[in-house]
Amino acid sequence: TGATSSSFNILPGSATKLAFTQQPRDTNAGDPIPRVTVELQHATGKRVFFPSQTITLAIGTNPGGGILSGTTTAHTTEGEAGFFGLGIDKPGNGYTLVASSPELTGTTSAPFNIIPTPLKVRSVARTSCPNAAGEMGVTITGAWGDFVPGMTVSFGGVPATNVTVVNSTTITASAVPGNFILVIAIPGGV
């Protein structure tokens, strides 16, 4: 003969770990990283929908020495936290993000790259007449933050001399007069 029990509830297991469900993607330095999501999971890998938890993101592997900006802490809703508007300011290959939450096993994202932002040269102006060596002074103006120490400058394949990064928007150099294509190289060629 059979027996019938009284009614009871089956509750899902507690969250024990975090997992990235939408990984960070390659992005230009300083631009927003597309939406990143992290979810609460049971030990079996199934999403746990409650209770709400606070999740924090930080840079794990930091090949470019970048700084993570944006809102790095979010609360889960139905077991998932979305991070919008994150950014990393310096280029590098193989960055990772680390997600953590109190009392849960954290997780590390898949590697992604922060790509150098294309240089924006706004003007090239002659600042002096040719000297005895046939070189003239040149000032190159770009967008804020484009120029960093160690950059090289060439005109039509001929390296400029006396290259000085004055600040993040200005480079001065000496070059032979002519009609050339300007090439500015980022140190390390990331």
Side-chain angles (χ1 to χ4, degrees):
T1 70
T4 303
S5 73
S6 56
S7 64
F8 59 93
N9 293 324
I10 299 175
L11 299 174
S14 305
T16 60
K17 63 182 182 173
L18 301 173
F20 280 90
T21 52
Q22 201 161 355
Q23 297 282 343
R25 292 185 279 166
D26 294 355
T27 305
N28 285 338
D31 285 352
I33 297 170
R35 183 175 191 241
V36 174
T37 57
V38 178
E39 74 177 13
L40 306 173
Q41 290 187 347
H42 180 268
T44 63
K46 300 267 187 212
R47 182 188 292 186
V48 175
F49 290 87
F50 61 90
S52 181
Q53 295 282 334
T54 299
I55 298 175
T56 302
L57 293 183
I59 294 177
T61 304
N62 193 346
I67 296 172
L68 181 63
S69 61
T71 303
T72 58
T73 300
H75 300 283
T76 58
T77 302
E78 296 185 2
E80 185 175 73
F83 295 86
F84 304 89
L86 297 172
I88 297 178
D89 63 337
K90 294 188 179 163
N93 294 327
Y95 276 96
T96 61
L97 295 180
V98 175
S100 62
S101 184
E103 301 179 19
L104 298 176
T105 302
T107 188
T108 300
S109 73
F112 61 99
N113 303 319
I114 298 297
I115 303 159
T117 303
L119 296 175
K120 297 171 191 80
V121 173
R122 298 206 170 149
S123 68
V124 178
R126 185 180 79 182
T127 57
S128 68
C129 293
N131 60 20
E135 295 181 331
M136 64 179 183
V138 177
T139 298
I140 304 159
T141 306
W144 181 87
D146 274 355
F147 302 145
V148 296
M151 291 183 136
T152 60
V153 177
S154 65
F155 292 90
V158 177
T161 58
N162 303 318
V163 175
T164 303
V165 177
V166 177
N167 55 42
S168 68
T169 62
T170 307
I171 294 176
T172 59
S174 297
V176 175
N179 186 9
F180 299 116
I181 295 173
L182 169 67
V183 177
I184 301 174
I186 298 170
V190 178

